[in-house]
Amino acid sequence: MTGTDMAATLAALTSRWEQARPYNIGFPGATDLDFTELAPLLAGYLLNNVGDAWVDGIAVNHTKEMEREVVDFFADLFRVASDDRWGYVTSGGSEANLYGLWLARTLHLDAVTYFSAEAHPSIPKAAALLGLPTVIVRAEPEGTIDYQDLARQIDQRRDRAVIVVANIGTTMTEAVDDVRRIMQVLDELAIRRRYIHADAALSGIPLSLMDSQARPGFDLADGADSIACSGHKFTGVVTPCGVVVTRKTLRDRLSAAVAYTGSSDTTIIGSRSGHAPLMLWYAIRRLGVDGLRARAERSRALAEHLQTRLADLRWPASRHPHAMTVVLQTPPQVVLKKWVLVTRGERSHIITAPGTTQDSLDAFVDDLRAAINTPPDRRSDPVSAIPPQRHTDTAPQPPNTARRVFRTGR
Ligand SMILES: Cc1ncc(COP(=O)(O)O)c(C=O)c1O
């Protein structure tokens, strides 16, 4: 392939993504950040954060100082004591979940792991990799764990230690299992040997920025022992990554050799991206707590806007009060051909992650209206046009009209 051919291929790819972006409203990846300033660091530097984030090791081509700042930032938001915290930047939420369950199993070798039917597939996969016995607990229709079924299931195996995975934002409806209620269930059953892992892939950061009394419990102060988060969802990093945070005193119970690299082998994978922590560091430094909060509020306000537009159309839709996920009755095929929604049977969802525009959402509603007003045999591809989106790394301000109501059209 010649240089010209390669340039044309790359230009075509960029143009395809740029055109597809406004229609990609089913997945939680934020698209509002611009990492161009970091581009020089992609030009030929291997950045390898091999091993433990707190042990630099022999080589200098790493970004562990930044990784530690990222973990500290997340640990502050998740209310982990400043003198008892540990974590690292993982390859994604899935690895962060695997780490949490690995630690849990090491602490409680005879444990049974409980999670709801709405758990992300990375949870049963991690349990299978670790050989953990599992019990799938019923979920309520709106997505939270059925606490009574959880109690019943644990009660039947009271001689075993308990690991509970709490969904902090289910993939489909962004429902949150309240860690404080899970603690209550364990207290009532007098289960002392316990571990709670919070899978907060999407919702960890947005929830942490709400008043702790106005949101469900999910962090370490609420009773969780470890938390997993994705870095390419709400925090908008352009390569898959995640963060796991736990207490150092728990982590210290996993033995770890010092490897030939000079760092401790405490992480699941050895060589780890140094670029991902760098991008996460850049995102949190650029936005800060106030910028992150403004983005979360803007996302919720947009979700509410979409919900109102769907209600005007009398199209069934619902949303949890804290959520940027709008669950709606699955639109006709002709709409799904154009718009990327996540669909499970009769229900689909749209996630108004940062970077989603009101223009996109309004165009989607226009297409939906056109489709439902047209008899199925006369439907052709919808033609609404959306103005091109631009990158911005300044968080838009939420409108003053933001309301927090749980409205259901079901
Ligand atoms: C609730 C939940 N947990 C875990 C994951 C996995 O995260 P990742 O894709 O970062 O591995 C996802 C991904 O969508 C998710 O929705």
Side-chain angles (χ1 to χ4, degrees):
M1 208 181 224
T2 65
T4 319
D5 290 344
M6 283 175 69
T9 303
L10 294 174
L13 269 180
T14 312
S15 147
R16 202 177 83 205
W17 293 327
E18 235 6 271
Q19 280 171 27
R21 191 205 291 249
Y23 305 99
N24 190 16
I25 53 176
F27 289 95
T31 54
D32 59 333
L33 300 182
D34 184 343
F35 294 90
T36 307
E37 209 177 328
L38 300 181
L41 287 158
L42 290 174
Y45 295 105
L46 166 66
L47 296 176
N48 188 346
N49 287 17
V50 62
D52 194 293
W54 265 265
V55 187
D56 282 353
I58 301 162
V60 294
N61 54 325
H62 61 76
T63 58
K64 289 193 181 179
E65 322 81 84
M66 283 140 171
E67 182 174 12
R68 293 192 280 269
E69 196 176 317
V70 168
V71 173
D72 264 332
F73 186 88
F74 278 66
D76 282 342
L77 291 182
F78 299 155
R79 299 187 298 171
V80 194
S82 58
D83 58 350
D84 188 15
R85 53 174 59 166
W86 185 85
Y88 71 98
V89 174
T90 61
S91 58
S94 301
E95 185 192 336
N97 282 334
L98 178 59
Y99 184 86
L101 288 183
W102 183 37
L103 182 56
R105 190 200 63 174
T106 309
L107 299 173
H108 301 290
L109 282 175
D110 68 327
V112 175
T113 304
Y114 302 81
F115 49 84
S116 92
E118 289 296 317
H120 184 264
S122 60
I123 299 298
K125 184 162 60 183
L129 283 168
L130 294 164
L132 279 164
T134 58
V135 173
I136 299 178
V137 178
R138 267 201 283 274
E140 303 288 356
E142 93 289 354
T144 48
I145 197 165
D146 175 338
Y147 298 96
Q148 281 185 0
D149 192 39
L150 176 68
R152 240 185 337 261
Q153 297 298 336
I154 294 175
D155 199 23
Q156 284 172 24
R157 302 163 184 85
R158 343 178 19 93
D159 54 320
R160 307 280 292 268
V162 171
I163 300 170
V164 183
V165 179
N167 292 316
I168 309 304
T170 57
T171 310
M172 204 57 202
T173 69
E174 213 181 319
V176 176
D177 302 338
D178 193 325
V179 168
R180 292 188 290 246
R181 284 192 68 182
I182 293 172
M183 292 285 278
Q184 209 179 334
V185 166
L186 297 173
D187 288 345
E188 278 164 14
L189 293 170
I191 303 289
R192 290 206 177 74
R193 294 188 307 123
R194 58 171 82 168
Y195 186 105
I196 301 177
H197 172 72
D199 174 6
L202 167 64
S203 306
I205 300 281
L207 282 179
S208 73
L209 299 165
M210 290 176 75
D211 175 1
S212 64
Q213 294 311 310
R215 55 150 174 83
F218 80 97
D219 66 10
L220 269 77
D222 289 317
D225 295 294
S226 51
I227 298 195
C229 226
S230 292
H232 53 285
K233 294 191 171 80
F234 183 72
T235 30
V237 168
V238 291
T239 186
C241 61
V243 176
V244 64
V245 177
T246 185
R247 280 195 288 279
K248 185 171 180 308
T249 39
L250 293 181
R251 195 291 319 243
D252 285 348
R253 292 173 50 193
L254 276 173
S255 60
V258 174
Y260 65 94
T261 58
S263 188
S264 306
D265 189 19
T266 48
T267 51
I268 286 186
I269 53 173
S271 286
R272 297 184 296 110
S273 168
H275 288 95
L278 181 65
M279 283 188 245
L280 265 172
W281 172 85
Y282 185 81
I284 61 178
R285 274 280 182 114
R286 274 244 163 238
L287 294 164
V289 169
D290 290 342
L292 288 166
R293 185 179 288 116
R295 285 162 90 243
E297 288 174 1
R298 165 87 178 141
S299 285
R300 291 188 198 108
L302 272 179
E304 188 180 3
H305 169 80
L306 173 62
Q307 203 182 355
T308 306
R309 297 286 324 265
L310 291 168
D312 292 346
L313 211 56
R314 299 189 181 286
W315 192 261
S318 61
R319 176 175 77 90
H320 291 284
H322 58 264
M324 60 186 80
T325 302
V326 177
V327 180
L328 64 157
Q329 182 177 302
T330 295
Q333 269 307 318
V334 67
V335 177
L336 296 181
K337 260 175 75 184
K338 173 172 170 184
W339 295 87
V340 179
L341 265 58
V342 170
T343 292
R344 196 200 272 171
E346 288 180 2
R347 290 203 297 178
S348 296
H349 78 212
I350 291 174
I351 303 184
T352 55
T356 308
T357 65
Q358 190 169 314
D359 286 340
S360 258
L361 299 173
D362 289 344
F364 165 78
V365 174
D366 289 346
D367 283 345
L368 179 59
R369 181 189 297 104
I372 57 187
N373 287 338
T374 311
D377 57 329
R378 296 191 32 218
R379 282 176 194 162
S380 58
D381 289 0
V383 288
S384 71
I386 304 169
Q389 281 174 252
R390 300 182 69 83
H391 275 300
T392 166
D393 57 3
T394 47
Q397 293 304 307
N400 295 331
T401 50
R403 284 174 290 142
R404 305 267 178 282
V405 277
F406 183 62
R407 189 185 296 125
T408 176
R410 270 159 218 286

